[in-house]
Amino acid sequence: MAQSVGIKDVARAAGVSVGTVSNVINRPDTVATETRARVLSAIDRLGYVRSESARQLRAGRSRIMGLLVLDMGNPFFVDVARGAERAARDAGLGVMVCNSAESAGEEAEYLSLFAEQRVRGVLLTPADATGRNIESFRRHGIPFVLVDRVSEGTAECSVSVDDVAGGALAVRHLIDAGHRSIAYVSGPPGFTQVRDRRTGALNALAEAGLGPDNLRELPTERLDVAAGRDAGARLLGLADRPTAVFCANDLLALGVLQAMYAAGVTVPDDLAIVGYDDIEFAAAAAVPLTSVRQPAVTMGALAAEMLLEETEADAADAADTSDAGGGAGGKRTHEHRRVVLQPELVVRRSSLSAR
């Protein structure tokens, strides 16, 4: 196995000190042109790559931002990651993307990994409904921003969508189309998003003078297509089957659509369907899916920008304290913000049937 080339090897090959090589890498303007060229030639010839982890330990700051999402199999979170990566790249940082798979245990393991790697900060969509993982992670002093979750009762920044308004948009649309018996294919009840979308659905029913009995909830253990197919099968087995279904995300809605297609149930004439997220596949489904659109890319970018603001403020405060010999300095306290974006209903053929 080939040995890695270190900075001492470069210094030896170029006939200079280790300090000179370090200056060429980190402060090239301080090194004479001829010497710099000799060192760069040695770096190229030997194939030297500097250790980013060692540089981070010396500087005390990572160039990596962590992103931990519920399900990377869901295109919604892929879009969130795209937005975060774009903002991080503009700031000269990279993003380490991890997938909790809706598991509190896996979430805890990845948060420990982020702490071990001393990441600059973390963007987090929590899987642990108890909040214990967040409390445990907070002691490391690493900044984090909640994504697709409101930071109620916590001091951290958050970027989310008004899911109560989104649920109301979906069910109001179905009521306006004449539906009075509606199913809600929800998801794990511990997820705030699932509960908020149900609250919005009930609000829309109340506005129309309809009671909560008009909403039949079909919970699922996960928020994927397979869970949607299972919910669709349960829906088909109901003696008084609702005429419309609102799903907590588009993957569930696509699963319900598959179950209806396999059973010969026509969408939207026999059953209207509305999803949530407006992922790319929604418009491309066999029956184009009506969905509540979340600005996922914007959400990811905003969260990353807020995290960068906080880490830059922390770094400036540390520098001020150091310059003041440990005094208070000119502290730039970061003000945590809670940004709530508004959803938008995108109407397609899956719900366009008059009752």
Side-chain angles (χ1 to χ4, degrees):
M1 184 174 66
Q3 284 187 319
S4 60
V5 176
I7 194 169
K8 291 182 179 178
D9 300 310
V10 174
R12 192 179 303 113
V16 299
S17 68
V18 169
T20 299
V21 177
S22 178
N23 285 337
V24 169
I25 294 170
N26 297 299
R27 296 176 295 278
D29 293 342
T30 66
V31 183
T33 303
E34 182 180 340
T35 303
R36 187 167 68 242
R38 194 161 71 249
V39 171
L40 291 173
S41 176
I43 287 174
D44 184 60
R45 187 168 67 253
L46 296 175
Y48 168 75
V49 178
R50 74 174 179 178
S51 171
E52 179 62 19
S53 60
R55 189 200 68 79
Q56 289 175 194
L57 285 173
R58 289 193 300 272
R61 301 192 77 208
S62 171
R63 293 181 59 245
I64 298 297
M65 178 187 298
L67 170 62
L68 181 54
V69 299
L70 289 176
D71 181 13
M72 279 306 293
N74 186 339
F76 167 75
F77 288 110
V78 174
D79 286 342
V80 169
R82 282 175 48 217
E85 190 274 337
R86 183 182 305 163
R89 187 178 65 241
D90 289 345
L93 304 181
V95 179
M96 180 192 299
V97 182
C98 297
N99 176 28
S100 71
E102 301 178 16
S103 163
E106 292 190 35
E107 176 182 84
E109 292 176 6
Y110 279 123
L111 288 175
S112 294
L113 175 64
F114 289 153
E116 291 169 7
Q117 294 297 317
R118 301 184 183 183
V119 295
R120 178 76 64 93
V122 174
L123 307 178
L124 170 65
T125 303
D128 176 22
T130 70
R132 285 192 290 266
N133 285 343
I134 288 179
E135 286 303 316
S136 179
F137 183 70
R138 190 179 279 115
R139 72 175 188 268
H140 296 290
I142 298 174
F144 63 92
V145 174
L146 300 180
V147 185
D148 194 31
R149 181 69 56 86
V150 176
S151 57
E152 293 178 347
T154 68
E156 283 71 33
C157 290
S158 68
V159 182
S160 63
V161 167
D162 188 340
D163 285 315
V164 174
L169 281 175
V171 172
R172 194 177 294 125
H173 167 68
L174 292 172
I175 292 171
D176 289 345
H179 298 281
R180 295 296 179 268
S181 177
I182 300 169
Y184 175 45
V185 176
S186 54
F191 289 164
T192 304
Q193 300 94 321
V194 167
R195 296 196 303 268
D196 285 351
R197 291 165 196 178
R198 179 179 182 274
T199 296
L202 292 173
N203 288 349
L205 288 170
E207 290 171 6
L210 301 172
D213 291 345
N214 293 79
L215 189 72
R216 176 81 65 88
E217 185 167 1
L218 297 173
T220 63
E221 293 184 357
R222 297 185 61 81
L223 291 162
D224 55 22
V225 174
R229 284 196 297 267
D230 174 71
R234 284 184 279 152
L235 188 65
L236 288 167
L238 295 177
D240 54 343
R241 191 169 72 210
T243 61
V245 58
F246 166 46
C247 298
N249 75 2
D250 284 342
L251 296 183
L252 291 172
L254 291 171
V256 171
L257 180 61
Q258 289 179 7
M260 296 305 110
Y261 181 82
V265 174
T266 303
V267 174
D269 294 334
D270 297 328
L271 183 76
I273 301 176
V274 175
Y276 205 103
D277 290 339
D278 195 34
I279 62 176
E280 184 177 353
F281 299 136
V287 179
L289 186 66
T290 294
S291 184
V292 178
R293 175 179 293 165
Q294 297 200 83
V297 174
T298 299
M299 193 183 304
L302 274 174
E305 289 166 5
M306 292 164 71
L307 184 61
L308 288 166
E309 288 173 10
E310 181 171 357
T311 58
E312 290 303 319
D314 289 348
D317 288 343
D320 287 344
T321 301
S322 177
D323 291 344
K331 191 169 179 61
R332 302 168 175 82
T333 304
H334 171 75
E335 292 187 6
H336 291 299
R337 291 183 289 145
R338 190 173 80 172
V339 176
V340 180
L341 305 174
Q342 291 303 308
E344 173 190 358
L345 181 70
V346 181
V347 178
R348 300 190 181 94
R349 190 154 60 89
S350 71
S351 63
L352 292 179
S353 64
R355 303 304 299 176

